[in-house]
């Protein structure tokens, strides 16, 4: 069984993330989307909320599971009996950091392979931060995130600004 882990903040999940999740679910037997708990960024959504949003938008993909982790990614892979990390690449700017991470993970755990998946060109500009920025300015986020989580994002931003 080939299990791939797709790590990230997913604060919140965008259509760019979903595209990578969907495409990797067609390649691997199982895809574990892993929410990073100890990110230095101060998140808009809690880990539990992000998990719930991810679960909702991936409900139609049978071989996807949503989980979270803190600490070392390679330790999480071991726990899941996974040997593949999937990463989406949007631009050259993503590359330098991801290349370094792939090499350190290989050094820490030689059986781990990192797979880079090129973004869908329709989403190459898309990030969670852009979604939060547009939504907080009252802009339309249709086409940036799944329809069924749009109101959750506006609601969260409204409550945060209270
Ligand atoms: P963000 O930069 O949006 O906060 P995350 O840290 O949550 O992203 O990213 C999780 C994974 O999804 C990373 O591998 C990242 O490169 C990838 N990713 C994020 N947005 C896109 C996109 N628009 N297209 C392709 N991959 C993406």
């Amino acid at each position: 069984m080939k299990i791939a882990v797709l790590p990230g903040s997913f604060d919140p999940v965008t259509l760019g993330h979903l595209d990578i999740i969907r495409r990797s679910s067609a390649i691997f037997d199982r895809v574990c989307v892993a929410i990073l708990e100890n990110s230095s960024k101060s998140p808009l959504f809690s880990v539990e909320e992000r998990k719930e949003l991810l679960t909702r938008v991936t409900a139609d993909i049978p071989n996807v599971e949503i989980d979270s982790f803190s600490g070392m990614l390679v330790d999480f892979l071991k726990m899941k009996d996974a040997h593949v990390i999937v990463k989406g690449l949007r631009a050259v700017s993503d590359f330098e950091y991801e290349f370094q991470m792939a090499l350190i993970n290989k050094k820490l755990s030689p059986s781990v392979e990192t797979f880079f998946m090129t973004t869908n060109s329709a989403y190459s500009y898309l990030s969670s931060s852009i979604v939060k920025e547009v939504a907080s300015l009252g802009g339309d986020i249709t086409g940036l995130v799944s329809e069924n989580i749009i109101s959750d994002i506006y609601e969260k931003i409204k409550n945060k600004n209270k």
Side-chain angles (χ1 to χ4, degrees):
M1 174 117 129
K2 289 263 179 275
I3 307 166
V5 170
L6 213 165
S9 314
F10 308 100
D11 184 41
V13 56
T14 68
L15 289 183
H17 293 130
L18 193 55
D19 181 69
I20 298 288
I21 296 170
R22 228 177 253 293
R23 285 159 60 201
S24 45
S25 76
I27 297 171
F28 298 98
D29 297 316
R30 190 149 194 86
V31 173
C32 175
V33 179
I35 304 166
L36 182 63
E37 286 176 15
N38 54 345
S39 163
S40 51
K41 307 173 198 167
S42 67
L44 177 64
F45 290 96
S46 70
V47 170
E48 278 316 309
E49 289 165 336
R50 281 179 267 163
K51 211 179 262 186
E52 199 275 312
L53 297 177
L54 271 159
T55 305
R56 211 188 301 164
V57 304
T58 57
D60 66 321
I61 321 173
N63 57 338
V64 169
E65 68 170 284
I66 317 298
D67 210 331
S68 61
F69 74 105
S70 56
M72 302 272 285
L73 179 59
V74 289
D75 292 337
F76 180 75
L77 265 93
K78 261 183 214 133
M79 197 184 82
K80 289 278 161 187
D81 199 21
H83 296 274
V84 179
I85 300 167
V86 175
K87 286 276 177 165
L89 282 185
R90 280 164 289 197
V92 183
S93 51
D94 278 346
F95 185 76
E96 204 169 333
Y97 176 72
E98 295 300 350
F99 189 67
Q100 190 180 19
M101 291 307 288
L103 291 174
I104 187 68
N105 284 328
K106 188 80 183 163
K107 172 95 180 148
L108 293 169
S109 184
S111 65
V112 165
E113 297 294 348
T114 301
F115 268 62
F116 291 114
M117 198 170 264
T118 313
T119 184
N120 180 324
S121 60
Y123 303 130
S124 62
Y125 63 91
L126 195 49
S127 68
S128 297
S129 341
I130 275 291
V131 168
K132 286 182 276 192
E133 186 150 354
V134 172
S136 65
L137 296 170
D140 188 3
I141 55 171
T142 309
L144 308 185
V145 301
S146 299
E147 294 279 341
N148 59 354
I149 66 166
I150 289 180
S151 57
D152 300 73
I153 297 170
Y154 286 124
E155 193 62 25
K156 188 80 189 173
I157 285 173
K158 198 174 81 191
N159 292 334
K160 191 189 123 200
N161 293 336
K162 263 186 192 161

